[in-house]
Structure formats: C-alpha cells, structure tokens
Amino acid sequence: MTLDPRFPRTLLAIALGAGLAAPAAAAERELLNSSYDIARELFAAVNPEFIAHWQESEGEDVAIQQSHGGSSAQARAILQGLRADVVTYNQVTDVQVLADDGLVAEDWQQQLPNNASPYYSTTAFLVRKGNPKGIESWDDLDDEGVEIVFPNPKTSGNGRYTYLAAWGFADNQFDGDEARIQDFMGDFLSNVVVFDTGGRGATTSFIERGIGDVLISFESEVNNIRGEYGSDDYEVIVPPVSILAEFPVAVVEPNAERNGTEALAQAYVEYLYSEEAQRQLAGFNYRVHDETVAEEFAEQFPETELLRVEDVFGGWDAAMDTHFGSGGQLDQLQRR
C-alpha cells in the first residue's frame, strides 16, 4: 500500500493496525512512535510516564500514538509516507534503511549511548510445563520430533535474531566446520512447524493454538508471556550461548521537523535512558545499561554468552546479504 504523507496521522496509524494511546484532551501536539510487533504493552506503560515527565518539565500536555508491526514492515511504511516522529525498533538494519534514505541522521548510532540502543535482550525458549522434550540448549532443537515455533526471518527481526543465534551456536559447537553447521541448521529449520510473520503471531500460534514444543523469541517476550499466561504452565530456558539483540532508537528528523516535534522527539528517545525508564524496561524483562537498575534486577537475568552479529557474521549488512537475501543461506537450507 502506498501511503500519502498528507493522510491524517491518527487514521494512518489505524490503517497500519496500530495500538493507539488515547490522546490527552488538551494536548496540542502529538508524537507518533513506530515500533516493533511485541512492544505494545511496553510502550503502553512507558508513554504515560514520559507524558507526565514532559508536562512537569515543560508545562505542556502532549499525546503519544503507537504504530506496531514487524520492524522491517514499519520501516517500509515510513519510507512510503508514515509520518512517525521516532522509531524504536529491534534491529539495526531497520533504522539504517531510513538513514540511507535521509530520514534518520547518518551518524544516528553515535548520537545516543550504547549504539543508540537504550536496552537489549537475547533469544530464549518458552517450553510447556515440565519441559517434556528436555530442551535446554540449541543442540536439543535439531532432534527428531521437536516442533519449533519462531517468526519468519524473512519478515521479522525477531526471527532473524533466532536464526543467527542458532547459527552462532553451531559455529562455536563445530569450530567453524561449514558442513556440520549447515547440517545442524538444516535439521533445526526442518523442525519449524510454523513461520509467522512477526513475534506476536508466533506467540499466538504457540499459546492460543497450542502448536509446537518450544517458542523461540526475545527473552523479554517469553518471560512476559509466562507472566501473562501462567508461570505454572510454562518454563523459560535461557541457553548458555545466545545472541546480543539490540533495540535501536532514532528520531525521524524530516518528519519531526515537519510535525514541529523536534525537541519532543529528541526528549522521548533520551528519556528511555533515564533511570525511571530503565527500571520500567527491566520490569518488562529487558536487560538495561543503567548500572543501578541492572544490579537491582540482576537475579532475573541468567548469565549467558552473548554473541555479537559483528563478530560472528561481519555485521548486519553481511548477515543480511549472506543469509537472508534472495538465494541466500536461509533459502538454500529450506530447499534441502
């Protein structure tokens, strides 16, 4: 769908399936945050706190709206005309594509701490009560009869992290032996029983439709699911080796300038680094950089070796070209 940038922002967000925060009655300005699929509840909690913070510091009532979906799809929507003021995504490449088009500053990763990622996570497993298949790490997931659910790496940053985490584990396990890595990955992918387009769809398949033995998603998501649907019915497994999942944020500068929200947008992304926001993020099971908050929540985050995309795959551009492009490793493995 080609989006007309003159289209009213509220209606446009509804057309994209957004979860909208109710605007304050007296608000003169509003901010639109384009975000990833499973962040609805997170920003439903963060936004009112930021609104109160802005009102206290600036004396202005503002409203915040949300547009949610796969982060790659959200980035494409902005390229097609969605006038989001800020992005809060789950993959660097989805912000970079906006930077390449001149919508985000070229040096956006240097404008905020931690590569413009105020919080981070990793991939983890959600299994059913009693862990019937005895799943503890990645090497249990290529066993015959294990049914896996995770989002499609072609459409989901969440899914790409899962694929790369599995590959990184195999790379470590087999000392870079390409043939053994590909054998593992072929068996692993053959055990996937459903490839939903996004993280929320994968959760629905596993929880509501009862499909699969294990759901692979962000550690934050599987813990939030367990809390929502019953800690006695599900178990969370954090494998000993996984991948660093960064959650980058940026201001969409031309949109913010056009909407008259430059200072508001910048304050919003900076607020995510505040101790107050970091505590909220940790409460939603995200790992944070603030030392005080990280120490406060340390017990809920098991130690795991976090592989970096840059170290294992040579960066996101190389990973995208080698693994997820047309005819890449993912396509080849699925044809085996």
Side-chain angles (χ1 to χ4, degrees):
M1 175 175 62
T2 301
L3 304 176
D4 186 338
R6 297 168 299 175
F7 197 66
R9 282 150 50 87
T10 301
L11 296 180
L12 182 54
I14 292 172
L16 290 169
L20 302 180
E28 296 181 1
R29 291 194 297 166
E30 63 182 27
L31 191 78
L32 178 57
N33 174 18
S34 170
S35 195
Y36 54 98
D37 193 27
I38 58 177
R40 291 170 174 82
E41 293 80 8
L42 169 65
F43 286 105
V46 168
N47 289 346
E49 299 301 321
F50 172 76
I51 290 170
H53 164 79
W54 183 262
Q55 206 287 328
E56 181 178 354
S57 63
E58 304 297 326
E60 180 188 14
D61 290 324
V62 296
I64 302 174
Q65 295 184 29
Q66 292 292 133
S67 180
H68 290 285
S71 63
S72 296
Q74 287 289 296
R76 285 194 299 272
I78 292 174
L79 292 172
Q80 293 173 325
L82 176 64
R83 285 171 56 175
D85 303 279
V86 299
V87 294
T88 55
Y89 287 160
N90 61 17
Q91 191 177 321
V92 169
T93 54
D94 292 326
V95 183
Q96 187 59 45
V97 73
L98 301 178
D100 293 342
D101 202 61
L103 293 171
V104 166
E106 184 177 349
D107 64 342
W108 66 273
Q109 284 187 287
Q110 285 73 56
Q111 292 193 354
L112 292 165
N114 308 116
N115 296 320
S117 176
Y119 55 104
Y120 65 103
S121 190
T122 187
T123 48
F125 311 150
L126 186 70
V127 298
R128 304 189 191 280
K129 181 179 181 179
N131 193 6
K133 296 295 176 70
I135 296 167
E136 299 294 339
S137 187
W138 297 99
D139 56 359
D140 298 313
L141 298 180
D142 66 338
D143 293 346
E144 186 175 352
V146 174
E147 296 187 341
I148 303 170
V149 176
F150 71 91
N152 190 338
K154 288 282 191 177
T155 58
S156 166
N158 188 334
R160 285 190 282 274
Y161 275 119
T162 292
Y163 171 98
L164 294 176
W167 186 287
F169 159 80
D171 184 59
N172 271 2
Q173 183 82 350
F174 304 124
D175 295 322
D177 186 321
E178 190 77 13
R180 297 182 71 185
I181 294 170
Q182 294 212 15
D183 284 343
F184 169 82
M185 290 300 297
D187 292 339
F188 168 72
L189 291 169
S190 71
N191 284 345
V192 177
V193 291
V194 60
F195 262 148
D196 289 290
T197 57
R200 189 49 53 91
T203 297
T204 298
S205 291
F206 186 75
I207 299 292
E208 298 182 11
R209 298 172 62 194
I211 296 173
D213 302 303
V214 54
L215 170 69
I216 311 177
S217 188
F218 293 123
E219 176 188 41
S220 51
E221 173 73 351
V222 296
N223 275 291
N224 291 337
I225 294 167
R226 184 171 183 257
E228 180 179 354
Y229 289 95
S231 57
D232 294 333
D233 296 325
Y234 301 96
E235 299 177 23
V236 172
I237 308 295
V238 178
V241 175
S242 198
I243 198 160
L244 172 65
E246 295 181 299
F247 289 75
V249 303
V251 175
V252 187
E253 294 181 346
N255 288 353
E257 182 178 358
R258 183 187 306 168
N259 298 330
T261 59
E262 300 104 307
L264 178 63
Q266 186 64 33
Y268 185 81
V269 294
E270 291 178 358
Y271 175 78
L272 297 175
Y273 289 88
S274 69
E275 184 172 325
E276 179 182 23
Q278 294 273 292
R279 187 165 285 107
Q280 279 190 303
L281 291 160
F284 276 83
N285 297 296
Y286 289 99
R287 300 181 183 228
V288 298
H289 299 286
D290 184 278
E291 293 182 2
T292 299
V293 178
E295 183 176 352
E296 181 180 331
F297 286 84
E299 291 187 1
Q300 77 183 47
F301 297 110
E303 289 189 13
T304 181
E305 180 184 357
L306 296 182
L307 307 173
R308 295 180 58 86
V309 171
E310 293 77 8
D311 296 334
V312 180
F313 303 97
W316 272 109
D317 286 344
M320 294 295 289
D321 288 343
T322 300
H323 291 275
F324 307 119
S326 179
Q329 288 282 4
L330 175 59
D331 288 344
Q332 295 176 39
L333 289 166
Q334 290 184 308
R335 288 197 293 264
R336 288 168 65 125

